[in-house]
Amino acid sequence: MAHKLKAYRLCLLVIVFIVAGCASSRVEEFRATETGMASGEGLVLLGRASFSDNETKESFTDCMADSLKGGDRPLRVVPQKMFRDNFYPWFEPRVEPTSSEELKKLFMEPGVKDLIASSNIRYIAWIEGDTVRVDDGGTMSCTIGPWGGGCLGFSYWEEDASYKATIWDLEKMISAGQISSDSRGTSYIAGVILPIPILARPGNAACNALADQLRQFLTGS
Amino acid sequence: MKPKPNVEDNPKITFKRLFSLLFFITLLSSCAPSDIVIEGSLPIPMVKKIPVRIGVHYPDAFVDFVHTETSKEIGAWQIDLGKQNAGFFRALFGSMFSEAVILEKWDSDITGVSNENTHAVLVPQIKKYGFLTPFVSGLGFYSASIEYELTLYDSRGATIFNWTVVGYGKSEGKAFGKEEAVEQATLLAIRDAGARIAIEFDKQKAFKSWFGNLEKAENGS
């Protein structure tokens, strides 16, 4: 009976950790115009540069690109680096267009409009945001030596992943709309000789939520 | 007399020795100077060619530029970026002007000596280079900046204008990839400065004035 009770408590503890390790997401959408993607048309995801510590990391746009390229309804996603190289210097962080008005001016530069047309790129999605740690606590210490090692203690941290995608329609030369995704999650590490991590991944949750909503926004399904 | 233990067969002693060896190797490797040669591909700009036949002189200090820095905080660094710079600027000026000729010798002090083969002579120089590690800046990335000075002389050796351009680049750092992160940040700084040069060179007031006079002279008005 006592063994059963211990096993029950252990299971309960593990479930509590797993549930607490999950991240919750909220997605919002603003649509300015009708959208759609014909066969062969593509989009490019560009991380908006801010030169601050909270700039969108390339790993986030890569995660979104992988998510959009996969699944039942894959989209053609032009790699960010290839796009910036092909259109150098027009999409460099310091000179990239910040509004659809600037985009119209950019299209008047020799070769830009033709290259967009030949690359069959219909949309640009500008990605802004970052994952930041909003709270942390607890203590844990680990030691290691020739005779072995171990950890003791408990530590947690809470992260907030807040991202926004602004979609530009290169055919209509307008901003088609905006999608935002906000995910929060708390991760834990319990040190009981071995460190046991229960990790929430709000950045990953925000990436998948934003990619799914973007796919729906562009294809309407 | 107690028999001497066979060291070779004792796993505990072997493990201790291996641990000590690894510990000292780690200590030594952390003290090793970071010697980097900046390499990597940079794109060719897609800009409208300026209808000027230009001579470009790359001073030895530009082509052989090596940055060395030693401090308690970051250790010893030697960064060779001259060759990469020279290669990039050759491609940059080749795409910016209708014709770009490399001048092996050029002395700005020899004024009044007519150079009929080119309309003007451009001399790029690196005035400053610097980089920051996350340890020094307290931010989560490596960054680099390069200050260039471009001097444009007319065909008789008189200065048309001096233009200072600063390029900035940043790269996410990895635990054991500090050299790679600084190299990436430096490449992005070169690329950033190149973008500004490609877009803004012909918009400089002094250049526009000189070019206007050149056009008038060529048209015979």
Side-chain angles (χ1 to χ4, degrees):
Chain A
M1 185 69 186
H3 285 296
K4 273 188 180 175
L5 196 68
K6 274 184 186 173
Y8 170 75
R9 280 181 179 171
L10 193 68
C11 285
L12 195 69
L13 194 68
V14 169
I15 289 166
V16 165
F17 273 142
I18 290 168
V19 170
C22 289
S24 59
S25 300
R26 194 183 74 237
V27 180
E28 286 174 10
E29 180 184 303
F30 162 73
R31 181 183 287 275
T33 184
E34 285 299 310
T35 50
M37 280 183 92
S39 173
E41 284 184 336
L43 88 147
V44 62
L45 305 171
L46 297 176
R48 182 70 82 183
S50 68
F51 290 118
S52 74
D53 201 14
N54 296 334
E55 189 174 294
T56 307
K57 292 183 176 57
E58 208 177 319
S59 53
F60 186 83
T61 45
D62 288 347
C63 167
M64 277 190 73
D66 289 342
S67 183
L68 287 164
K69 283 189 280 187
D72 297 336
R73 293 166 290 135
L75 300 181
R76 188 170 78 85
V77 182
V78 177
Q80 179 174 207
K81 191 179 180 308
M82 193 175 93
F83 179 84
R84 286 197 201 267
D85 281 357
N86 289 348
F87 286 88
Y88 183 76
W90 301 109
F91 286 88
E92 291 303 293
R94 201 201 289 252
V95 295
E96 64 193 14
T98 53
S99 65
S100 50
E101 294 306 311
E102 284 185 19
L103 184 71
K104 281 175 195 165
K105 279 185 194 166
L106 175 57
F107 266 51
M108 287 191 278
E109 292 294 337
V112 175
K113 198 176 176 181
D114 293 341
L115 192 55
I116 288 278
S118 64
S119 311
N120 206 7
I121 298 168
R122 174 74 192 273
Y123 298 101
I124 292 177
W126 292 100
I127 313 296
E128 289 172 81
D130 196 14
T131 303
V132 290
R133 186 176 288 200
V134 289
D135 190 22
D136 56 23
T139 53
M140 193 171 74
S141 60
C142 296
T143 54
I144 189 164
W147 295 277
C151 296
L152 197 67
F154 178 79
S155 173
Y156 74 92
W157 64 95
E158 189 181 0
E159 286 179 313
D160 181 61
S162 189
Y163 291 89
K164 183 174 78 177
T166 306
I167 302 112
W168 288 0
D169 187 334
L170 301 184
E171 195 178 272
K172 296 177 184 168
M173 300 293 280
I174 53 168
S175 175
Q178 220 171 55
I179 302 167
S180 65
S181 163
D182 195 55
S183 299
R184 229 168 222 259
T186 307
S187 303
Y188 305 91
I189 290 187
V192 192
I193 302 175
L194 283 175
I196 304 164
I198 313 287
L199 301 176
R201 297 168 67 198
N204 202 47
C207 153
N208 290 322
L210 200 61
D212 287 347
Q213 195 65 26
L214 182 60
R215 187 199 308 273
Q216 205 179 336
F217 183 91
L218 296 176
T219 60
S221 55
Chain B
M1 193 179 163
K2 212 175 171 180
K4 206 175 173 184
N6 187 349
V7 175
E8 297 298 323
D9 296 338
N10 191 330
K12 274 190 178 174
I13 294 173
T14 311
F15 179 71
K16 273 190 209 171
R17 284 187 171 180
L18 191 67
F19 184 83
S20 307
L21 187 71
L22 281 172
F23 181 75
F24 282 111
I25 287 172
T26 309
L27 272 183
L28 285 173
S29 64
S30 64
C31 300
S34 299
D35 196 349
I36 309 170
V37 178
I38 303 296
E39 286 171 338
S41 63
L42 287 162
I44 296 166
M46 184 178 63
V47 285
K48 190 181 172 186
K49 282 186 187 286
I50 302 167
V52 168
R53 198 166 58 247
I54 201 144
V56 188
H57 174 65
Y58 300 98
D60 290 343
F62 182 85
V63 179
D64 303 326
F65 187 89
V66 178
H67 175 80
T68 52
E69 189 172 337
T70 306
S71 74
K72 277 182 189 173
E73 289 82 17
I74 58 166
W77 287 76
Q78 181 169 297
I79 303 165
D80 181 348
L81 55 140
K83 298 281 181 294
Q84 178 70 40
N85 256 309
F88 174 67
F89 275 78
R90 275 186 202 115
L92 178 73
F93 294 140
S95 65
M96 278 173 59
F97 297 98
S98 57
E99 197 179 338
V101 183
I102 295 172
L103 302 176
E104 294 300 334
K105 287 181 181 175
W106 166 256
D107 189 350
S108 59
D109 293 334
I110 311 169
T111 49
V113 178
S114 179
N115 186 352
E116 297 301 332
N117 295 326
T118 56
H119 292 127
V121 174
L122 187 57
V123 182
Q125 289 180 83
I126 299 173
K127 303 301 281 184
K128 281 180 201 165
Y129 169 83
F131 68 94
L132 286 173
T133 65
F135 182 77
V136 175
S137 66
L139 300 170
F141 53 83
Y142 289 78
S143 59
S145 66
I146 308 176
E147 185 181 314
Y148 294 100
E149 188 182 68
L150 303 181
T151 309
L152 187 70
Y153 300 95
D154 67 13
S155 58
R156 301 187 66 82
T159 304
I160 299 168
F161 76 92
N162 271 310
W163 186 31
T164 301
V165 180
V166 180
Y168 177 79
K170 61 184 247 191
S171 173
E172 291 171 38
K174 288 174 187 161
F176 297 102
K178 58 179 182 176
E179 286 90 359
E180 197 186 319
V182 169
E183 182 180 8
Q184 185 62 24
T186 306
L187 267 179
L188 290 174
I190 298 171
R191 184 178 168 132
D192 181 47
R196 203 175 152 208
I197 293 167
I199 292 173
E200 295 178 17
F201 188 90
D202 60 350
K203 293 176 181 66
Q204 299 304 301
K205 205 176 168 184
F207 177 81
K208 283 204 275 192
S209 166
W210 170 81
F211 184 64
N213 291 335
L214 180 74
E215 277 189 316
K216 276 181 196 166
E218 298 249 309
N219 294 334
S221 56

